[in-house]
Amino acid sequence: MRTTGCHGFCERGPITVIQPDGIFYQRVKLEDVAEVVTETIRNKKIIDRLLYIDPRTGKKIIKEKEVPFYKKQKRIIFGNNGFIDPTDIEDYIALDGYKALAKVLFDMTADEVIAEVKDSGLRGRGGAGFLAGLKWEICRNVSSDVKYIICNADEGDPGAYMDRSLLEGNPHSVIEGMIIGAYAIGASEGYIYVRMEYPLAVKNITLALEQAREMGFLGDSILGSEFSFDIHVFKGAGAFVSGEETSMMASIEGRRAFPRQRPPFPAQEGLWGKPTNINNVETWANIPLILNKGADWYSHIGTRKSKGTKIFSLVGKINNTGLVEVPMGISLREIIYEIGGGIKDGKKFKAVQTGGPSGGCIPADMLDLTIDFDTLTKAGSMMGSGGMIVMDEDTCMVDVARYFLEFTQEESCGKCVPCRVGTRQLVEILTRITKGRGEERDIQKLQDLAKTIKAGSLCGLGQTAPNPVLTTLRYFENEYEAHINQKSCPALVCKDLIIYHIDPKKCVGCLLCLKNCPVDAISGERKQVHVIDQDLCIKCGACLDVCPPKVSAVVRYTGKKKERVLKNVQSKRAKK
Amino acid sequence: MKKLLTESEANQRDLIHILHKVQAEMGYISPEAIAAISKHLKISENEIYGVLTFYKAFSLKPRGEHLVTICMGTACHVRGAPRILDEFKRGLCIEPGETSEDNLFTLETVNCVGASWTVEDQRCGQADRRNKEKFKGIKREGNSIKKMEKINATRLEELKAEILDSRKDQKTCITVCGGTGCHASDVFRLQMLSGMRLRGRS
Ligand SMILES: Cc1cc2nc3c(=O)[nH]c(=O)nc-3n(C[C@H](O)[C@H](O)[C@H](O)COP(=O)(O)O)c2cc1C
Ligand code: FES
């Protein structure tokens, strides 16, 4: 019996797997437990109702590895999560844990380690995709009595949670990676900066550090070698910009998380002015694997310039929400349809957003894009830390752009003007458009502003902030135009541009919407057609939600159709 | 407060750590607390205000008894979080960041609690009990690590063999996913229950 880290298929949780057969039960409830023990374990009988049904074939699937969600994945980093109890260091050791560390400490020089990481082609998983080995080498070559390394676990991109899962589910892989990195770079102290919204990650990593220390993987003369190193956990305090490396260092020093100009780069002047190397959680977790299996093995996975795998958090309007680890170079279509099981409720796919607030939206006609660091950047988006938010026909792209800009505007630290003032202006224009007050010149204005902000901002936050606007403009300009010219929101999202209306031909007078309307805007009697008072309606959508699907009398209108319906209603009222 | 400070070191680097502790203990950071921290760390109150207002974790006003946190992350956004927020705003008659007049509710938004799979993860709970609640259930009685010894490289190999050997007889192993996604769907109670039944039998 073992409680493990996240298996990734969160949509179907709670998940229980019976080893060694790998029987996969999903959505297990308390009532089921006794049956699992008596039937499956004692009598070796499979419980049908707990099995996963492949929605495409309708067939029941027994084994974990045959579930389509897992089939296309390559879970070299994340896979062990399912076998490890993160509170028990022995589980990690049993799976070759700390073997790479022992090899490094006794059989390899620091330069050899760096060469291996460089040869592997591993690029940073935190966003920018800088070559990890090269970054290490730069830091190693700066001479200093004290050096630091940092693990960036601030994971600020809304919708991304793979770093959290690694820290919670397999903390020792991150720790081992860091110790190896420290040895290569010559650092004596390390920090793991965890965002405060992740209490379980803080807890598991703290416990893991204690156990590693107790067994001599951390502290003085690690594993009996001459190398000494220790790691502290630092709990963040809620600021997106602290994920940026120079801000993060300011935060660890106990100050406001203001970014600063680079150069000097952290490798030259970092934490407390000392050379510092900062990598993302997933980057660190790749390290033990590379040293165990070799750069050659590793560099065979992925594309020419992006090696290895990447964990994405596949969320939004997708059937199989969860964490997926795929080789670089897989196509978006494979991720969304084969692993993700397609779009929820049979709706139409519209776009996928990657790279968080710094990224962009990729439209349906680019579904065959094979993804790695460079293809995503070329498409106007970026890899970011791995959020992948799927949007369907019911998502308004102008609203999405406004959402992201509101986010960056709110999170802008305020130190530099282009970012602080520019993002606010972007939000103002976008809000105006979603409220139906957009002007023809707005599109040009958005584009000009975006360019200024990109060029003039101090840190990555500002430099990438306009990306969501730029990509939506690039791929969905028609939606902007509809909002501006026809005052219509094609996705029926923007409140000021839509009305809710009850179709008198369909309404059966069941009183459901009437009872659920929070502002009593609906009038009518049982078995009589109900009417929404447009002056009172706050457009909360409750009526649409409760109207039985068989009836579906509540409809939304936008643009010309909306005007027509409104006029109709008014003339009817005047007649009365 | 005194005890809290004497437990902490007196470095600027401990400021955020101390603020976390005060926030957790008192629910907010009072002017008195700021004065005490300023004295302890020998940094100006001004600077402390600067730091604590920068981060969303700290509040200068006491929070209501119940803290309602609504995730406004992207995934939640496309799945309709703004509507839920609107509903709370109307129901509680407060804007995000405010506390209701009867001091019962504080409404806050957060950018992503990292629970995008459940999206119904709109939390409403006792403010100060929030974190403790999350930890409940993952504590293991009689941790399976019997011998925590300092080891060296050669011992590592042996240890691995020993661990594998000791597990040789374990024919079936039920692995229950303890990830946060499944956590949200009650997995820990599941684990404890099945754990109880299984103990001494496997
Ligand atoms: C505004 C902003 C937010 C960032 N947030 C994160 C983050 O949450 N996690 C992360 O690993 N890197 C983040 N980064 C990137 C880091 O600055 C840094 O490049 C990264 O941690 C380096 O690690 P890597 O080379 O392993 O990718 C952010 C950058 C910017 C500009
Ligand atoms: S976006 Fe809401 S939990 Fe992640």
Side-chain angles (χ1 to χ4, degrees), chain A residues 159, chain B residues 71 73-76 112-116:
Chain B
C71 176
T74 327
C76 290
C112 180
V113 296
S116 310

Side-chain angles (χ1 to χ4, degrees), chain A residues 163-175:
Chain A
D163 292 349
R164 166 200 198 136
S165 248
L166 280 172
L167 283 184
E168 286 178 358
N170 194 354
H172 288 288
S173 67
V174 180
I175 296 172

Side-chain angles (χ1 to χ4, degrees), chain A residues 1-7 10 13-20 29-30 33-34 41-42 85 87-91 93-94 96 98 106 158-159 161 164 168 191 195-196 199-200 203 211 213-215 217 223 235-239 241 251-258 272 315-318 321 344 389 399 403-404 407 411 495 518 538 540-541 545, chain B residues 12-13 15-16 20 47 50-51 54-58 72-75 77-79 83 86-87 90 110-117 131 134-135 138-140 143-153 156-157 159-160 163-164 167 170-183 185-191 193-195 197-198 201:
Chain A
M1 172 77 203
R2 190 173 298 163
T3 312
T4 65
C6 174
H7 287 228
C10 308
I15 284 167
T16 301
V17 181
I18 322 281
Q19 301 289 7
K29 289 193 227 36
L30 279 176
V33 172
I41 296 177
R42 282 233 204 85
D85 177 344
T87 61
D88 188 345
I89 194 171
E90 286 191 359
D91 280 8
I93 294 175
D96 279 341
Y98 290 110
F106 295 98
Y161 60 102
R164 166 200 198 136
E168 286 178 358
Y191 284 86
R195 91 192 261 255
M196 65 154 192
L200 184 62
K203 164 142 179 137
Q211 294 182 354
R213 213 169 281 131
E214 240 173 281
M215 298 192 71
F217 296 118
L223 288 177
K235 198 165 102 186
V241 75
S251 186
I252 294 177
E253 290 170 10
R255 298 184 286 116
R256 281 180 290 184
F258 270 159
W272 293 291
V315 297
K317 305 278 188 72
I318 184 106
T321 306
K344 260 198 158 26
I389 295 133
D399 177 63
Y403 162 77
F404 277 114
F407 177 92
E411 296 294 340
K495 271 189 182 181
I538 51 166
C540 68
D545 288 346
Chain B
Q12 165 115 30
R13 71 172 80 170
L15 176 57
I16 291 174
H20 267 309
E47 171 139 21
V51 170
F54 187 90
Y55 297 101
K56 283 192 273 301
F58 312 121
M72 295 310 265
T74 327
H77 184 87
V78 298
R79 282 200 185 183
R83 276 175 55 191
D86 283 350
E87 194 62 33
R90 208 175 36 249
V110 40
N111 278 326
C112 180
V113 296
S116 310
W117 51 85
N131 291 352
K134 283 214 151 170
F135 290 156
I138 48 169
K139 212 157 151 211
R140 300 158 48 107
N143 206 314
S144 81
I145 298 168
K146 302 116 226 159
K147 36 183 197 316
M148 277 288 241
E149 42 169 346
K150 262 232 162 28
I151 60 171
N152 60 25
L156 180 65
E157 284 286 309
L159 187 68
K160 182 188 151 196
I163 296 170
L164 289 180
R167 290 181 178 176
Q170 259 180 18
K171 282 211 189 65
T172 15
C173 178
I174 312 181
T175 55
V176 180
C177 179
T180 332
C182 293
H183 177 119
S185 6
D186 223 11
V187 71
F188 287 118
R189 277 176 52 212
L190 191 75
Q191 176 231 329
L193 197 87
S194 50
R197 299 233 168 108
L198 281 181
R201 259 191 215 168

